[in-house]
Every structure is written in C-alpha cells, then in structure tokens.
Amino acid sequence: MATLVSTTLDAIPQIRTALRATFAGGVTRPIQWRQNQLYQLARMAHDERDAICDALQKDLGKPKTEVLAAEVGVVIKRALKSAEKLPQWAKPEHPEVPARQKLWKPTLYKAPKGTVLIISPWNYPMILSFQPLIGAIAAGCTAVLKPSELVPTFSQLLADIVPKYLDPNAFRVVNGYVPETTKLLDLQWDHIFYTGNGKVARIIASAAAKHLTPMTLELGGKSPVIIDSTCDIDLAAKRILWGKCNNAGQASLIHCQDLFKCRTGLIGVSFWQICVSPDYVLVQREKQDELVKAFEKHYNAFFPEGALDSPMFGSIVSDLHHKRLTSLLTRTKGEVVLHGRVDPARRRMEPTIVKDVADGDSLLEEELFGPILPIVPVDSLKHAIDFVNARSHPLVLYAFSENESVKQQLVKETQSGNIVFNDTFQQLAVDDLPFGGVGESGYGSQVMKYTYEAFSYLRSSIDMPKEAEPELAKRYLPRSEEAVKALTASVHLPIPRSSL
C-alpha cells in the first residue's frame, strides 16, 4: 500500500480558520457558484476515474466494474442531479398561515450551517466521502474532508486531485491518523457528518457536545433478513447472496484500529461497522435446507471457479480482520454447509454459509463484516420478529414475502432505519429516499435533498408592515377587556371528546 502523507498538526487549525473566512466572506453563497462546484466534482470523478479505480484496486482489491458502478457513476449522477435541483431546494418557502398573518410575509430561508467536517470510511470511500460533500456544497458550506487512513492510496489521491477541481479556499482534504483526527475533533465545527461505529461515534459526539455541534451519524448494525414461507426461496437466495457478496461482505463497512485521544483520555478502538450487507437470515425451520441448496446453486453460478481467485470478489481489508473472521468460524456451534476457501496471505475468504445457528452463537455476537452468512431457523414469524426486536435497531431490515399482511406486520412491529422487501442493497439506488438509522444505527439522513438538508437549517422570518399596527394594538398596555378576551381566546377553544 502507498504511504499516506499526513497533514501537519499546526496546519489543521489554520485550514479551519481559512475555510471560516471563505464562508464569512460570502463566497459560497451564490447558487451558481455552488452549481459550478458540483459540476467540478462530477468532472473530477469522470476525468480521474482510472486513477480512482487503480487506487481502490491497490487498497481493497476492488473490481473496476464495482468501483465505476457503485462509486464513480453514483457520484457523477448525484452531483449533476443536485446541481439541477439546487435552485428548487434553496428557494425560500412561504408557509400557509391565517389570513391576518399573510401581511407579515412569513418566510423560511434555507441557510447553510457554516464550516463542516466530514469523516468518511474505507469500504466505499468515494461515495461515502463525496455523497456528504455533495450536500455540503449544495447547502453553501465550506468543508474539511477526512478520508480513512486504511485506504492510503485513495486518500492520498484525494489530497492530490481535490484542489485541482474544487475551490481550495472552500474545500480541503485532511489526511492522517490518530493525532490528526484528534486535532480535528478538538476544533469547533458547525456540523460533523460521521460514518462509522457506535463506539467511536460516542467519542466524536462527546467532542462535538463540548461545542454544541450538531451531527449526522451513519452507524449501521446487524442487518437481518426475514424469509417468509410465501416467498420464492430460490429467488430470495439469489438476491441475498448477491447482496452479501458485494465488497466481500464488507458492504458499507467501516474499520478502524486507532487510539482517539480526547479530553477524557486515551481510548483504544478496534472496530468494524457494517451498514447494509445482510448479516444473518431468519427462516422457518422447515425451509432451511431448501434455502441452503438455493444458496449453493447461486454461488456456483456466480463463481464457477470459486471466489478465492475471482477478480469480481474483493479482499478482506486487513490481516487482523481476516483473523477475526476465521476465529468466529472456529467458535460457531452452527453447521458450516458452504465452506469457502481461505487464503490468509492475500486476505481472501470465499462466501461461507452456516446453518442451525442459535441465539448466543459466536456469529451473532456482533456485526460480522465479512462473507459469512449465518442462518437462524425459527418456528414462526412472531419468533423472527421477537428475535430482531431483542437486539439493537438495525440500519436496514430485509424481508422476503409475498404476503401484504406480513409486510405490514413487519412495518408496524419492528424498528429499523430502512425496511426493504424482496431484495437487498438496491434501496441505495433510489435517489429520492432518505437513508439513515434509528437508535444504535445512527441519526440523521442523507442522499440528495436529504444531505442538503443535513448541512442547512431553516431560518424563520417575518417582516411586519406599518399597516399591521391596528391588528397589533391589543398587545400594548393598558389593555381593554376586549383586548384581553382576544389575546386569551385560545384558552377557550373546544376540545373534542375521545372516541376510545
């Protein structure tokens, strides 16, 4: 891997100060300027696509097609679409108000929050760096982007190419490890957008709380799959396996082996965070063997020669992570029914299916973050729902069913950031749906307009004309009995009786 050149510690506060000056000077205010920066971001993704693919091949062994489809192309499309939609998003709104208040010109302005910090992960480093940045640019913010040190080739590439395309007075890349991240967190920001693990999120949130800094946290969790007996088992297996094989099962996965030094002291952190990769499957007991056979069928179709040497299947991010995955497999009490080959020297691991996994098994302890898929047999839909609800709320709940009443039951009786029926992963392709968590899986939303809204706030306004003075007369002292009656009228509003 390439050597990452860290930003000097002394430079980090200076960068923040310079970005604040740019924001205060109104450079980012014009809509046309923001659109131009979004066009430049799209142009960078297009023109530098070969360098980006090469960097992610070196860092992660990512197939070029996957990078172009899931990262480069998405950044280009969403940057261009955001530029197109921006005038509509940024247009002041005039809410519906009572007739007597219309003269006051009630207005909602969409105001940028200011200078923001974006901390992005390694697994999909391009889209998860630039998707938040697209929103920050659109909102009119200045921003520091801190990419992951675990993809040094890519992160160094960003430091080289971002200033060539985006205004360096408004957008900067800060690279580094623990000291650099700590220095960033010591500073005050107007918003922090963090994709990562709940443990580290607590550290970052504590640092942000000292400055009352708002945050967006994308934290993931174990994403379950519930398979109902009414679904097409063969098709479900195909779609689940496809979702699990994305990025070698490390889909939207964040990994870090760091010591973050905060004011509370040194905190050792070694974590992985999964977002949307299917983590475990709940299926009715009598359907388990049918599901296993379907997984075997589609694995052989996806990888006729196996996935170990396939250029279409990525590598595990680190030796430590690879050892952790093999350790989980040695400790499971389930039955390994599709045992992928392993090559520790190259950090390779083929997809592995484990059936008859029970509560308390090693594979259910925490997020898996790799190409291992446990199958948990259940006796009923209620059993599956209770199993999911006994754990932290996931970022996404997948369910395969053709029964509409079952779908509605899952919507009503479970909690997750997203709920997806009859597919995996594909929800990320819908530009007009917000993506975010609930509870332990995070808070706040992103994608297109929702990312724009994360980096802006609603600034309420009225403009009281002289002509409103007769209406306002009753507020002044001394008040007549008629004025008091008018001011307290709401106290006497009729309240409907409950129908329960």
Side-chain angles (χ1 to χ4, degrees):
M1 286 189 179
T3 301
L4 185 65
V5 178
S6 297
T7 306
T8 63
L9 294 179
D10 290 343
I12 292 175
Q14 297 171 11
I15 291 171
R16 196 278 306 261
T17 299
L19 294 181
R20 281 195 178 285
T22 298
F23 180 78
V27 173
T28 65
R29 202 168 297 149
I31 296 297
Q32 188 174 2
W33 184 91
R34 302 182 207 177
Q35 289 175 314
N36 182 64
Q37 293 298 300
L38 291 168
Y39 296 147
Q40 284 295 99
L41 181 57
R43 187 169 290 111
M44 182 186 73
H46 176 271
D47 293 355
E48 305 290 345
R49 62 189 183 276
D50 289 338
I52 291 166
C53 288
D54 290 344
L56 294 182
Q57 171 62 35
K58 291 176 182 176
D59 287 338
L60 297 173
K62 275 202 175 191
K64 184 174 183 177
T65 301
E66 181 180 320
V67 175
L68 292 174
E71 304 218 54
V72 175
V74 178
V75 168
I76 293 172
K77 181 182 73 168
R78 289 182 175 171
L80 294 176
K81 191 172 180 180
S82 293
E84 176 190 349
K85 296 285 188 180
L86 181 54
Q88 176 185 336
W89 296 345
K91 187 178 180 180
E93 295 180 9
H94 303 283
E96 288 294 323
V97 296
R100 65 183 181 84
Q101 292 180 348
K102 289 183 179 180
L103 196 63
W104 306 356
K105 299 179 182 178
T107 304
L108 290 173
Y109 294 102
K110 286 45 172 310
K113 287 185 176 178
T115 300
V116 304
L117 172 63
I118 298 167
I119 303 176
S120 60
W122 61 263
N123 61 315
Y124 282 90
M126 184 172 182
I127 184 61
L128 295 181
S129 295
F130 290 128
Q131 182 158 275
L133 186 60
I134 287 170
I137 293 172
C141 295
T142 56
V144 162
L145 179 60
K146 170 60 177 72
S148 173
E149 66 275 18
L150 292 180
V151 281
T153 312
F154 177 79
S155 295
Q156 191 60 53
L157 178 65
L158 289 193
D160 294 338
I161 65 176
V162 166
K164 296 178 182 178
Y165 292 86
L166 299 184
D167 186 342
N169 294 313
F171 309 107
R172 297 289 294 272
V173 175
V174 169
N175 273 324
Y177 301 84
V178 177
E180 293 75 22
T181 304
T182 301
K183 192 69 173 179
L184 286 168
L185 293 177
D186 281 340
L187 301 174
Q188 188 271 334
W189 302 93
D190 297 307
H191 193 91
I192 296 176
F193 194 112
Y194 171 71
T195 305
N197 173 273
K199 293 178 182 178
V200 175
R202 285 172 169 84
I203 298 170
I204 296 177
S206 295
K210 292 178 174 63
H211 302 289
L212 297 180
T213 299
M215 299 186 68
T216 300
L217 297 178
E218 202 70 76
L219 305 179
K222 287 180 77 67
S223 296
V225 183
I226 295 177
I227 297 181
D228 175 62
S229 59
T230 63
C231 81
D232 183 331
I233 293 290
D234 184 76
L235 183 59
K238 183 180 183 180
R239 293 179 175 181
I240 294 167
L241 186 63
W242 173 79
K244 189 65 175 177
C245 288
N246 267 285
N247 207 25
Q250 302 164 114
S252 292
L253 171 63
I254 295 74
H255 172 281
C256 185
Q257 302 165 57
D258 280 339
L259 292 174
F260 280 155
K261 184 179 180 182
C262 295
R263 292 187 179 90
T264 54
L266 284 172
I267 302 176
V269 182
S270 178
F271 74 89
W272 299 263
Q273 177 60 53
I274 197 164
C275 281
V276 298
S277 180
D279 195 90
Y280 63 95
V281 178
L282 297 159
V283 64
Q284 291 192 5
R285 200 173 303 275
E286 64 272 17
K287 295 286 186 178
Q288 181 178 219
D289 289 338
E290 181 183 351
L291 179 65
V292 169
K293 289 180 181 178
F295 277 136
E296 292 174 339
K297 168 189 169 182
H298 292 295
Y299 173 75
N300 290 330
F302 289 173
F303 305 104
E305 306 299 325
L308 194 68
D309 299 310
S310 173
M312 301 306 295
F313 193 73
S315 301
I316 306 303
V317 69
S318 69
D319 292 333
L320 180 63
H321 183 28
H322 194 280
K323 290 176 183 176
R324 177 180 175 275
L325 291 171
T326 55
S327 174
L328 288 174
L329 284 174
T330 60
R331 293 191 292 116
T332 182
K333 302 298 183 184
E335 179 184 350
V336 177
V337 289
L338 178 62
H339 196 169
R341 294 172 295 168
V342 173
D343 183 349
R346 295 186 294 152
R347 304 194 311 275
R348 304 284 289 183
M349 175 180 285
E350 292 182 319
T352 302
I353 308 294
V354 185
K355 76 170 191 175
D356 287 326
V357 174
D359 196 3
D361 192 88
S362 63
L363 299 180
L364 299 176
E365 291 174 354
E366 55 185 355
E367 294 88 343
L368 288 174
F369 332 112
I372 303 171
L373 187 62
I375 301 175
V376 181
V378 294
D379 297 316
S380 64
L381 179 63
K382 184 180 184 305
H383 184 185
I385 290 173
D386 290 345
F387 193 95
V388 170
N389 287 342
R391 288 153 177 79
S392 297
H393 305 322
L395 187 56
V396 58
L397 167 62
Y398 297 110
F400 287 80
S401 175
E402 297 301 325
N403 188 320
E404 289 302 319
S405 65
V406 167
K407 295 176 186 178
Q408 290 308 306
Q409 184 178 355
L410 290 171
V411 169
K412 294 175 182 177
E413 297 183 13
T414 63
Q415 281 186 277
S416 60
N418 304 263
I419 185 166
V420 175
F421 296 107
N422 297 315
D423 203 6
T424 63
F425 227 80
Q426 204 64 29
Q427 73 274 13
L428 300 180
V430 183
D431 292 337
D432 299 308
L433 284 176
F435 181 75
V438 60
E440 286 288 320
S441 55
Y443 52 77
S445 299
Q446 63 172 313
V447 179
M448 298 295 295
K449 180 183 178 182
Y450 303 99
T451 321
Y452 167 84
E453 291 175 345
F455 289 105
S456 57
Y457 69 97
L458 295 177
R459 193 177 188 187
S460 301
S461 173
I462 63 169
D463 183 0
M464 191 67 71
K466 291 180 181 180
E467 293 78 8
E469 192 60 19
E471 172 69 20
L472 301 177
K474 59 180 174 289
R475 71 185 182 180
Y476 300 121
L477 298 176
R479 297 188 182 104
S480 66
E481 183 177 341
E482 182 182 353
V484 171
K485 184 177 180 181
L487 290 171
T488 61
S490 296
V491 175
H492 306 290
L493 290 173
I495 302 172
R497 290 186 177 277
S498 173
S499 59
L500 297 179

